[in-house]
Amino acid sequence: MKTFAESAISFFASLSIPENLPEGVVPLFPYNDPPVKELVRKFYTRFFSDTNLRFMLVGINPGRFGAGITGINFTAPRQLREDCGISHELGNSSELSAEFIYSVINAFGGAKAFYRHFYLAAVSPVGFVQNGKNLNYYDDPRLMASILPYALDCMQRQLRFGVHRTVAICIGGDKNYKFLKAMNEAGNFFAEILTVPHPRFILQYRRSSQESYIQQYLSALDYCLHK
């Protein structure tokens, strides 16, 4: 039986770019870069080398300062080095989403404790840029329609890593939840989907209430563990 790490490493090594992207939409695809392949291998080997089931937290899609660089969801170069203990040559950039998520991870007990139970994913494992700026898949109806078959296939493949089907957590409020809910109805992936606000929204517009949002995330994690 493959470990979670072996399945994840194989998935990202074989990942492709979605087909038929709208004109002007550029994919963020670091997975062919040898240094990124090695970091993905190190990350999953360090935290996922077992056959334990994980609960999935599903974000939107990678951004150009986070997983668009590292290949690891919600993990920018700074968090990869400082919070995960994995050295690299990708610089020390960060992003708001990674900063908040790792505040939650550290409040939970750190990366080792968190990743023993949870797996950070995204509706689209590949990110998108338009006119030099991050593009969420749902911000362009043409993009949203074009990635649906790709997103369904990627979700099905990731479930085979060893993911609990009882409950998942949607990171990203209304628009991401609606798309993920539709995916779930089509694929029957999870019995229940919880939602939590997106980290970027929290740190951009609700930073003074950050601690209460961390507690909201921790409550969702605890709900999964006791489901």
Side-chain angles (χ1 to χ4, degrees):
M1 182 178 182
K2 281 188 175 182
T3 64
F4 196 108
E6 289 170 332
S7 296
I9 292 165
S10 176
F11 170 76
F12 287 106
S14 64
L15 196 62
S16 60
I17 295 170
E19 297 179 351
N20 302 315
L21 294 179
E23 185 177 354
V25 175
V26 179
L28 286 169
F29 195 78
Y31 300 103
N32 285 339
D33 298 339
V36 172
K37 285 185 177 182
E38 179 61 13
L39 290 176
V40 168
R41 187 193 66 77
K42 286 182 177 179
F43 175 81
Y44 285 101
T45 299
R46 173 167 294 192
F47 297 114
F48 294 86
S49 287
D50 54 56
T51 56
N52 298 340
L53 295 180
R54 265 83 175 178
F55 293 98
M56 186 183 282
L57 289 82
V58 188
I60 300 168
N61 47 246
R64 68 192 193 281
F65 298 120
I69 297 175
T70 65
I72 299 164
N73 284 307
F74 289 101
T75 306
R78 185 180 303 168
Q79 288 74 35
L80 187 58
R81 179 183 291 112
E82 295 181 1
D83 297 289
C84 299
I86 297 175
S87 61
H88 56 78
E89 303 298 327
L90 299 179
N92 197 43
S93 62
S94 185
E95 66 168 9
L96 292 180
S97 294
E99 290 170 14
F100 179 83
I101 287 294
Y102 276 88
S103 294
V104 172
I105 288 173
N106 290 328
F108 185 83
K112 188 173 182 180
F114 176 83
Y115 289 121
R116 186 179 300 124
H117 301 286
F118 300 100
Y119 167 59
L120 291 168
V123 164
S124 174
V126 173
F128 309 100
V129 173
Q130 190 173 50
N131 299 321
K133 296 181 179 180
N134 286 335
L135 178 68
N136 294 328
Y137 71 83
Y138 53 63
D139 288 335
D140 184 330
R142 300 168 304 158
L143 177 59
M144 186 164 61
S146 71
I147 70 154
L148 178 57
Y150 177 82
L152 285 166
D153 178 65
C154 286
M155 178 64 72
Q156 193 67 259
R157 292 171 63 192
Q158 289 173 96
L159 291 176
R160 299 189 195 115
F161 296 178
V163 171
H164 287 286
R165 307 289 286 271
T166 50
V167 59
I169 298 174
C170 174
I171 298 175
D174 187 51
K175 293 180 180 178
N176 197 42
Y177 174 68
K178 283 183 178 178
F179 191 83
L180 182 57
K181 183 181 177 184
M183 282 178 56
N184 196 49
E185 290 171 354
N188 194 29
F189 301 133
F190 306 106
E192 182 180 4
I193 300 176
L194 307 180
T195 61
V196 290
H198 197 274
R200 176 169 287 278
F201 168 82
I202 294 168
L203 291 190
Q204 275 192 322
Y205 304 109
R206 300 288 189 272
R207 186 180 284 270
S208 62
S209 302
Q210 179 177 347
E211 287 304 317
S212 67
Y213 283 106
I214 289 173
Q215 291 305 314
Q216 183 177 340
Y217 268 68
L218 292 175
S219 294
L221 299 180
D222 186 67
Y223 179 87
C224 292
L225 293 175
H226 292 91
K227 181 66 176 175

